[in-house]
Amino acid sequence: MLNTRTFSGGLHPPDLKMTGGAAIVPLPPPRKVIIPLSQHIGAPGKPVVAVGDTVEKGQPLSEPNGFVSAPVHATIAGKVVALGNFMHPLGVASTAVVIEGTGEPEPAPSPVATDGLSLPDDEIKKRILAAGLVGMGGATFPTHVKLSPPANKPIDTVILNGVECEPALTADHRLMLEEPDKIISGLKLVMKVLKAKKGYIGIENNKPDAIRLLDEKLRGEENLAVAPLEVKYPQGGEKQLIAAVLDREVPSGGLPMDVGVVVQNVATAAAIHDAVFHQIPLTERVVTLAGSCVKNPGNYRVRIGTPVSEFIAATGGLKPDVPLVKVISGGPMMGIALFDLNVPIIKGTSGILCWSAAEGALRVATTCIRCGRCIEACPMRLLPQRLKNLIDAQRWASAADLGILDCMECGSCAYICPANLPLVQSFKLGKKVVLAERKREADAQKAKGK
Amino acid sequence: MSEKLLVTVGPHHHAPDTVARIMWEVTLALVPAFLISLYVFGGRAFVVTLCGVLGAVAGEALVQAVFQKKPVTLADGSAVLTGVLMAFSVPAALPWWTAFLGGFAGIILGKQCFGGLGQNIFNPAHIARAILLASWPVYMTTWLKPGAAAGLIGPLPDGVTAATPLGLMKETLRNPDLLNSLAASGTTALQHTFHELQIGWGSLLTGTIGGSLGETGKLALLLGGLFLLIRRHITWHTPATMLGTVFLGSLLITRDPQMALFHLLSGGLFLGAFFMATDMVTTPMTKVGHLIFGFGCGAITLLIRFKGGYPEGVCYSILIMNAFVPLIDKFTVPRRFGEVRAPAQEVKA
C-alpha cells in the first residue's frame, strides 16, 4: 500500500458513510426546476431568457457578469414560467429562473466528441466557462477563474480533491468508482491548461476501493499519482489538502496558487471532461441522500434546480413513522440546515441529510473550562477559545491580530467543545465585522488620497 | 413536508463529551484512591471526604441560588470534584467541620469569587487546603497512623497519630546530632525513616503510610491517571514532566537513586501530577504550555522540599504555577497555519 499522509490538527468524527456501496441512480427529470442565477462565488449572471420562452435542455439561461461569474443552464426542456426572487438554499432570496417541463421524453444525447486534449488552451477555458462549471465540492468557485492564474504565479501541481472528509457524504466516492476515466481526463485537461508537471488525486483511506481503482488506472502515467491520506477532517479543505499531499503551507490570506498549486474537486474534473470533450453544460450532479428519515438512502444523479422536496420524493420519500426534524444541505460538519424544502439543489449541493430528533438533537451550551481541545482540533492552528472571548467582548482588532480571518468555519472546534459553545457563530460574526472594518478603512484611505 | 425544521449553524454533529461528563469521569478516576484511603484510614476518611463534598456543594448552591439567583449547576459535578480533591489533600484526622469549611471556602473564595466555573485562576481544592493550613495548622499537620482505630468523629484517642515519611525525613535531615549518630552506625536517613515508621517501598506504593487522605495510594492514583489518559481528559505532558522533574531533580541534588525514588513516591506528588496540575481550568491550554507548567510544578516542589520550611511542596508549587498560566499561555501561542512572521510590523499610530 502507498504511504499515507495528513496535515496537523483536525479530528476524526464518526464516518456515518452508509451509502458508499450504493451505485449512482439517475433520477428522471423533475416537472419543475428552480435555477438561481447565483450558484457560485462572484457576481450573479445576467438573465438571457424571459417568461414565456421555450428552452431546450442545456440552453444557457444567463451570461456571466464579469470575470468571476458563471452562466447557468436549463436543466430540463420546457417553458420559463417565472423569473424573479426565489429562496436560495443559503437562506436568502435571489433571482432564479423557473422552468416547467414539457413532460415529453428527452431525446437521447448525441454529443459531439472532440479530443479535448488537442484543443488550444483558450478553447478549453472557453468551453469550461460556457458550461458554467464551478467547484462542485461546495465552495462553488468558478472553475475558469482557477484555471487563469496570473503569469507571476506559475502552477506546478494540480490536486484533485477526492477526500470527501465530511461524514455521511459518498457522492464523490461513487463518482470515483463509476467514472474514473472522466476524472483522470479532467485532471489532464486542467494540468494542460495550467502547464502543471504533477497531478495528484487525494483520497482518504476510508475509500480503499477508490484508491485501488484510480491507482491501477494511473499506472504507467509518470506524472499522475493517487495520494492516499489518513482519515481526518477537514482534509478536504484546500489548504489542508495541499499541506497533506505536498507539505506546502498556503500563506495566511493567500491562495493555493501562491504555492504553485490548483485544487479541483473530482466531480468538477469529471464535469470538465464533459464540458471540453462533449460540450455538455453542467445540468446535473451526484447528490448523496442520507439520514434516518429517508426510505432509500443512496447516491442520485439529480438535475440542478430540482426542489429538495421533489428530489426526496423522487427517491421514494420519507419514512412515514420517523418525524423529520432537520434537513441539511451538505455534510454534518459544514452543511447548511434548510428551513424550507422548496429550495433547489444547486451546483454545490453534495448531499441532503434528513435527520430525526435523535440525530439533530440540540445541545445546551455550558461554560468553557479551558480544556484546550479546540486549539488542538483547529486545522489553522488558531486559538478558538481566545478568539471567541475577544469577539464576545467586541475586541475586533485583537481578534484580527489572532487570525480570525484565517478561520474557514470548518467547525472542528465546535464539534469537539465539551461546553458546546457556539464557536462557529462567533467566528462568522467576527469575520464579518473585521472585513467590514477593513473595507471602511480602505475606503477612508482612498477618500483621503483623492 | 411543510412542518417546521430545526435550523442551526454547523457543525450539526458533536463529540459525545460534555463538561459534566469530564468532571464526573475525573471523580470516577479518584474512586480507587478513595477505596485505599478507606482501607488505610478507616471511617474518618469517609467522614472527611463527605464533609468536604458537602461544604463544596453548599458553597456552590449558596452563591448560585442566593447571591446570583441563577440555575444551580451542581449536576455538572465540578463542585463535587473540588470537594473530593480538597478532602484528598488534607489529613484524615481533620475534624469534620474543618473539612466542611474547607470545601465551602474552596468553592467560594477559590472559584465563585472569580466568576465561577472556568474563571478561577487557582485550583480551588488547593486554595482550600492553603486556607485550612493557615487557619488550623495543628489540625492540618496531625496525621493518622495507618490502620489506627480512631473512630468516625470526635477527638482522637491517644497513639493514633504518626509522622509522614516526608515529614520525618525533613526532621531527620535537620537534626545534626541524629545524622551523626546515624552515620556512625552506617544507617542512611532513608533507612532511618523507613525503620522508624515501620514502612518499606511497598507501603509507599500501596498507601499504608501516614499522609493526606487521598495521596498515599500511589498505585490507585496511577490507575486513575491511566483512566484519564485513556479517556483523553489529560495528556501525558504535565504528569510526565512534573514527576520527571522531581525524580531527576532529587537525583541531581542527593546523588542517591533511592532518595530520588523516595521523593517520587512520597507526599502528594502523584495526586498533584495526575489530578491537580492537570485541572483544565487552572493550567495552560497548549501541549507546550503543559510541559512548561509540569516542569515548573516539579521544580518548585523540589525547592520547597529541599530548601523550604514545609516538608511537602506540591500544593504550593501548583498554586504558584497557576499564577503563571496567563503568562505561559501568552508565550505558547502556536504558529498559525500559513503564518509568515512579519519582518517589519506595521507601525500603529
Side-chain angles (χ1 to χ4, degrees):
Chain A
M1 198 68 201
L2 303 144
N3 287 333
T4 58
R5 320 164 212 196
T6 194
F7 62 100
S8 77
L11 37 78
H12 180 40
D15 252 357
L16 309 172
K17 292 188 190 283
M18 322 294 263
T19 50
I24 299 168
V25 177
L27 292 180
R31 281 172 294 126
K32 187 182 87 174
V33 288
I34 305 165
I35 299 176
L37 299 183
S38 173
Q39 300 188 39
H40 52 263
I41 290 180
K46 281 184 286 196
V48 294
V49 289
V51 176
D53 286 3
T54 308
V55 290
E56 289 305 311
K57 185 191 168 197
Q59 183 181 327
L61 302 176
S62 68
E63 56 183 26
N65 188 6
F67 181 55
V68 185
S69 185
V72 295
H73 300 79
T75 60
I76 56 173
K79 206 166 142 191
V80 176
V81 294
L83 172 65
N85 269 350
F86 286 86
M87 287 314 279
H88 190 279
L90 287 175
V92 288
S94 80
T95 311
V97 178
V98 182
I99 302 168
E100 238 162 48
T102 52
E104 284 162 31
E106 290 183 342
S110 57
V112 265
T114 41
D115 177 15
L117 280 168
S118 64
L119 292 171
D121 292 353
D122 276 350
E123 177 63 19
I124 295 177
K125 278 199 247 178
K126 221 167 92 191
R127 289 186 178 192
I128 287 173
L129 170 61
L133 294 196
V134 302
M136 289 167 79
T140 63
F141 195 76
T143 303
H144 68 276
V145 181
K146 272 193 179 179
L147 298 186
S148 317
N152 61 348
K153 305 269 184 199
I155 303 297
D156 60 35
T157 309
V158 173
I159 302 175
L160 287 196
N161 189 345
V163 175
E164 206 162 47
C165 60
E166 274 274 7
L169 301 185
T170 55
D172 288 348
H173 182 190
R174 287 315 304 181
L175 201 69
M176 287 190 283
L177 290 177
E178 296 179 32
E179 296 185 348
D181 297 323
K182 276 193 188 179
I183 291 171
I184 293 168
S185 163
L187 173 60
K188 286 180 181 166
L189 285 167
V190 174
M191 286 172 66
K192 174 181 152 45
V193 171
L194 294 169
K195 297 173 184 61
K197 287 178 207 70
K198 268 304 247 176
Y200 291 98
I201 305 177
I203 309 172
E204 283 188 345
N205 260 345
N206 54 359
K207 298 177 266 293
D209 45 358
I211 295 178
R212 220 176 306 123
L213 179 67
L214 284 164
D215 190 42
E216 262 166 39
K217 295 255 177 205
L218 293 183
R219 226 160 263 171
E221 302 269 5
E222 217 171 88
N223 52 349
L224 305 181
V226 171
L229 305 167
E230 211 176 279
V231 183
K232 206 158 67 165
Y233 180 87
Q235 197 143 238
E238 273 190 334
K239 292 180 174 185
Q240 279 61 44
L241 183 58
I242 294 167
V245 175
L246 299 174
D247 199 19
R248 294 184 198 171
E249 258 185 36
V250 177
S252 168
L255 290 169
M257 64 180 175
D258 293 327
V259 291
V261 184
V262 161
V263 179
Q264 293 285 0
N265 177 268
V266 285
T268 317
I272 288 173
H273 168 87
D274 283 342
V276 177
F277 277 67
H278 306 293
Q279 291 187 270
I280 302 176
L282 186 58
T283 56
E284 52 185 26
R285 65 157 298 142
V286 181
V287 178
T288 299
L289 179 70
S292 64
C293 291
V294 293
K295 267 191 197 151
N296 300 311
N299 302 292
Y300 297 92
R301 193 177 292 278
V302 192
R303 296 294 162 88
I304 285 156
T306 308
V308 171
S309 53
E310 275 210 42
F311 163 55
I312 297 171
T315 64
L318 297 169
K319 289 181 190 162
D321 51 336
V322 187
L324 184 67
V325 164
K326 198 175 200 180
V327 177
I328 297 161
S329 161
M333 296 296 284
M334 285 186 80
I336 292 160
L338 298 181
F339 58 96
D340 177 1
L341 298 186
N342 292 317
V343 298
I345 304 274
I346 58 170
K347 292 175 182 176
T349 308
S350 45
I352 294 290
L353 310 177
C354 299
W355 280 5
S356 67
E359 296 152 299
L362 272 181
R363 289 167 59 121
V364 185
T366 53
T367 312
C368 172
I369 54 167
R370 293 173 35 89
C371 66
R373 289 178 191 186
C374 53
I375 298 176
E376 230 173 290
C378 180
M380 300 308 290
R381 295 195 294 268
L382 303 175
L383 303 172
Q385 180 257 4
R386 202 132 120 216
L387 282 170
K388 180 172 188 301
N389 285 344
L390 290 171
I391 290 162
D392 288 351
Q394 307 198 353
R395 289 171 58 188
W396 315 113
S398 307
D401 287 345
L402 278 178
I404 182 73
L405 292 181
D406 281 344
C407 170
M408 52 179 180
E409 301 166 26
C410 71
S412 295
C413 53
Y415 169 83
I416 201 74
C417 177
N420 197 32
L421 295 175
L423 291 154
V424 177
Q425 283 94 320
S426 272
F427 302 156
K428 278 178 189 279
L429 171 69
K431 284 167 72 173
K432 219 171 195 170
V433 175
V434 168
L435 282 175
E437 298 226 326
R438 291 233 168 136
K439 189 173 177 295
R440 201 170 46 80
E441 269 164 37
D443 290 350
Q445 286 283 329
K446 233 188 264 167
K448 232 188 257 170
K450 269 177 196 168
Chain B
M1 267 207 245
S2 59
E3 63 260 62
K4 281 189 179 158
L5 293 170
L6 180 62
V7 178
T8 62
V9 171
H12 308 284
H13 244 223
H14 203 279
D17 268 355
T18 61
V19 170
R21 186 160 160 179
I22 293 173
M23 294 294 171
W24 287 115
E25 286 192 2
V26 176
T27 311
L28 182 70
L30 287 164
V31 167
F34 182 58
L35 295 177
I36 294 287
S37 78
L38 290 182
Y39 173 75
V40 176
F41 300 118
R44 284 215 172 223
F46 177 77
V47 173
V48 167
T49 309
L50 180 71
C51 291
V53 170
L54 287 177
V57 165
E60 182 106 332
L62 179 75
V63 171
Q64 291 181 329
V66 178
F67 297 131
Q68 297 178 330
K69 304 206 175 5
K70 276 199 212 156
V72 180
T73 57
L74 289 176
D76 72 14
S78 64
V80 172
L81 179 59
T82 297
V84 172
L85 283 173
M86 189 284 306
F88 271 33
S89 48
V90 298
L94 202 69
W96 63 268
W97 54 268
T98 321
F100 182 89
L101 281 181
F104 192 75
I107 288 291
I108 299 215
L109 300 176
K111 180 172 142 189
Q112 291 295 352
C113 273
F114 291 94
L117 182 62
Q119 304 296 323
N120 47 303
I121 298 168
F122 300 103
N123 188 316
H126 272 165
I127 287 281
R129 186 184 182 276
I131 290 171
L132 293 184
L133 187 61
S135 310
W136 293 280
V138 176
Y139 289 151
M140 284 294 287
T141 48
T142 305
W143 313 98
L144 271 191
K145 204 180 197 168
L152 282 181
I153 48 171
L156 293 176
D158 283 342
V160 296
T161 60
T164 66
L166 275 177
L168 189 62
M169 174 67 81
K170 186 136 222 166
E171 265 176 40
T172 308
L173 293 176
R174 273 195 188 150
N175 186 338
D177 295 343
L178 181 59
L179 279 178
N180 283 339
S181 70
L182 285 178
S185 65
T187 319
T188 64
L190 189 63
Q191 283 166 336
H192 171 73
T193 305
F194 277 6
H195 177 75
E196 280 289 301
L197 295 173
Q198 296 179 332
I199 58 170
W201 292 109
S203 340
L204 289 183
L205 284 172
T206 56
T208 50
I209 51 170
S212 292
L213 192 157
E215 72 178 22
T216 64
K218 307 293 161 359
L219 289 179
L221 288 168
L222 193 62
L223 188 71
L226 284 177
F227 172 72
L228 294 185
L229 278 169
I230 291 167
R231 290 287 301 124
R232 298 195 182 188
H233 295 326
I234 65 173
T235 59
W236 59 268
H237 302 76
T238 308
T241 41
M242 185 170 178
L243 296 174
T245 305
V246 169
F247 180 79
L248 292 176
S250 312
L251 194 63
L252 274 177
I253 294 167
T254 62
R255 315 258 162 193
D256 179 355
Q258 289 207 346
M259 277 299 269
L261 200 59
F262 173 76
H263 274 284
L264 180 69
L265 296 175
S266 298
L269 189 59
F270 271 54
L271 180 65
F274 283 108
F275 291 93
M276 303 284 203
T278 55
D279 170 40
M280 293 165 176
V281 174
T282 57
T283 61
M285 293 184 70
T286 63
K287 298 275 178 294
V288 182
H290 289 165
L291 294 175
I292 298 169
F293 188 82
F295 171 76
C297 289
I300 297 173
T301 301
L302 283 173
L303 194 68
I304 297 175
R305 281 189 185 180
F306 284 97
K307 295 287 172 201
Y310 291 115
E312 171 61 314
V314 168
C315 165
Y316 286 116
S317 77
I318 292 173
L319 284 177
I320 291 168
M321 287 308 292
N322 283 160
F324 284 100
V325 166
L327 205 61
I328 297 174
D329 272 343
K330 188 174 167 160
F331 287 108
T332 54
V333 175
R335 190 188 66 86
R336 267 153 48 199
F337 185 103
E339 184 182 16
V340 189
R341 294 266 184 231
Q345 284 286 325
E346 278 178 72
V347 185
K348 279 185 187 138

